[in-house]
Amino acid sequence: MSIEQLQEIAQAMVAPGKGIIAIDESSNTIKKRFDAVGVENTEENRRQYREMLLTTPGLSDHISGAILYDETIRQSTRDGVPFTRVMMDAGMLPGIKVDKGPVPLAGFPGEVVTEGLDGLRQRLAEYVQLGARFAKWRAVITIGEDIPSSACIEANCHALARYAALCQEAGLVPMVEPEVLMDGDHDIEVCYDVTEATLRSLFASLYEQDVMLEGTILKASMVLPGKSCPEQASVEEVATETLRCLKSAVPAALTGIVFLSGGQTDEQATAHLDAMNRRGTQPWPLSFSYGRAMQQAALKLWAQDMQGNFAAAQKIVAQRARENGLAALGRWSKGV
Ligand code: 13P
């Protein structure tokens, strides 16, 4: 696939007023989400839940694509239509999570490195056959006493760059995700410094591995104080610091940036994205790739009566998509 074709896919992912729904929870992570609302974690329940999300009427008005998990990309609707077909027919791009999750980084207590490079070329080829157009890899950076180490940042960014190069070789747009976790009591300045150092290391690694930024999407965490920091930040402060950080570390050649929600409330995630887009044009489109902030309200309602609440839960998904789509344009306001 040529760089122009990759660029076309990347541009479609961040088309004006559109973003991504992340539904790529591993079977372990979805178990945590299902446990919290009393749903049994069976393959059929996961299938029904993802069918509810993906067949939401009008979803593609504000959603350009969805990140799927290995199990989900092979599943179909109750009527036997593959999820990837449902998505393509509605004009949404199928994406796939391809990392194998974080494991402890040897020699660096409290830090993790994401695995999954072994055999990745073969797995990517299969996902292309299954209809994937982009792929995601998540690296996790933890803030704590004396961490992150530069060894952790560099190991994770090197892996992200190796994965991104393999994606482009296979004809998939890489969505590179270095998530700086919100856990901890650090203040917003510490988050700024760690995020900036991580992004600088990431783009140095991408350059080293010859990854074409024109066919790449960054999935970024926002610059926020830690969840247990006594001093929380205003929406405007988060927007200012996040934009300052991105501008200092992300090359303008990159096609687009989407944010993860990372444990923010639905309203915070939407308000922060909206505030950034209200500041006017940036070097790249800024949109969303939310998991929890797209799903949590709908999951809660669906869990109460599953099939019985199928359509009502879809209305909530559509509403969250609409609100985040407006935020991607800087046109959201509370209660729209
Ligand atoms: P959250 O928006 O729930 O953080 O999930 C996004 C995601 O894909 C994390 O990898």
Side-chain angles (χ1 to χ4, degrees):
M1 188 176 283
S2 69
I3 179 61
E4 287 77 19
Q5 287 167 306
L6 281 173
Q7 190 169 16
E8 226 171 88
I9 296 168
Q11 283 167 342
M13 289 165 69
V14 290
K18 290 196 185 190
I20 306 280
I21 181 169
I23 62 165
D24 58 324
E25 300 86 0
S26 63
S27 298
N28 275 339
T29 304
I30 198 76
K31 180 178 182 326
K32 282 190 227 153
R33 309 271 188 265
F34 276 8
D35 281 351
V37 293
V39 171
E40 202 191 337
N41 186 28
T42 62
E43 181 174 351
E44 176 54 17
N45 283 345
R46 294 193 293 270
R47 192 203 63 73
Q48 280 186 32
Y49 175 62
R50 267 89 181 230
E51 174 171 353
M52 182 278 289
L53 295 171
L54 290 172
T55 60
T56 293
L59 190 63
S60 61
D61 292 350
H62 310 287
I63 296 293
S64 55
I67 317 172
L68 310 174
Y69 183 59
D70 180 73
E71 173 185 280
T72 323
I73 200 170
R74 304 167 195 279
Q75 286 175 325
S76 301
T77 64
R78 198 171 19 166
D79 300 334
V81 186
F83 285 158
T84 48
R85 171 57 40 218
V86 171
M87 293 180 64
M88 294 291 218
D89 287 351
M92 293 184 286
L93 297 160
I96 179 77
K97 168 193 176 75
V98 299
D99 65 74
K100 297 237 165 159
V103 299
L105 180 62
F108 293 86
E111 300 195 276
V112 292
V113 64
T114 301
E115 289 194 335
L117 288 171
D118 288 0
L120 183 58
R121 179 178 272 129
Q122 291 72 24
R123 289 194 289 125
L124 294 180
E126 190 195 4
Y127 290 136
V128 168
Q129 290 306 314
L130 288 167
R133 292 290 174 269
F134 69 96
K136 188 195 90 169
W137 177 291
R138 172 173 175 258
V140 180
I141 306 295
T142 312
I143 299 181
E145 209 180 322
D146 296 329
I147 60 170
S149 63
S150 53
C152 171
I153 292 177
E154 278 165 32
N156 274 292
C157 290
H158 180 75
L160 274 164
R162 294 263 330 269
Y163 128 87
L166 282 161
C167 283
Q168 292 190 335
E169 178 191 88
L172 290 164
V173 170
M175 178 190 271
V176 292
E177 180 184 16
E179 175 172 2
V180 177
L181 293 181
M182 280 170 72
D183 301 335
D185 61 1
H186 55 272
D187 61 23
I188 192 167
E189 279 163 44
V190 171
C191 181
Y192 179 99
D193 290 343
V194 169
T195 307
E196 186 181 64
T198 302
L199 290 173
R200 289 202 172 151
S201 172
L202 173 63
F203 285 96
S205 294
L206 292 173
Y207 178 72
E208 189 110 319
Q209 298 298 326
D210 222 5
V211 173
M212 295 170 285
L213 298 186
E214 294 80 356
T216 301
I217 297 290
L218 170 67
K219 178 159 176 165
S221 44
M222 295 182 195
V223 176
L224 299 157
K227 259 189 238 160
S228 34
C229 176
E231 208 177 316
Q232 288 299 310
S234 67
V235 169
E236 292 307 320
E237 196 182 350
V238 171
T240 300
E241 294 308 300
T242 304
L243 284 175
R244 193 162 70 88
C245 188
L246 293 172
K247 282 183 189 165
S248 99
V250 180
L254 186 83
T255 295
I257 300 176
V258 293
F259 292 101
L260 58 99
S261 57
Q264 301 180 55
T265 65
D266 292 3
E267 189 177 317
Q268 284 169 339
T270 306
H272 289 149
L273 177 62
D274 183 65
M276 284 184 249
N277 280 309
R278 275 180 197 270
R279 305 279 173 98
T281 309
Q282 306 299 337
W284 346 255
L286 297 174
S287 190
F288 60 94
S289 173
Y290 294 155
R292 281 163 286 178
M294 271 299 302
Q295 297 180 49
Q296 56 204 357
L299 171 61
K300 220 166 149 187
L301 184 70
W302 175 78
Q304 287 165 19
D305 188 17
M306 293 157 84
Q307 272 313 314
N309 278 353
F310 194 90
Q314 287 186 326
K315 287 211 172 86
I316 299 183
V317 178
Q319 173 67 9
R320 291 300 299 140
R322 202 169 80 85
E323 291 196 44
N324 289 319
L326 287 168
L329 298 168
R331 289 190 203 144
W332 173 80
S333 57
K334 207 171 160 169
V336 290

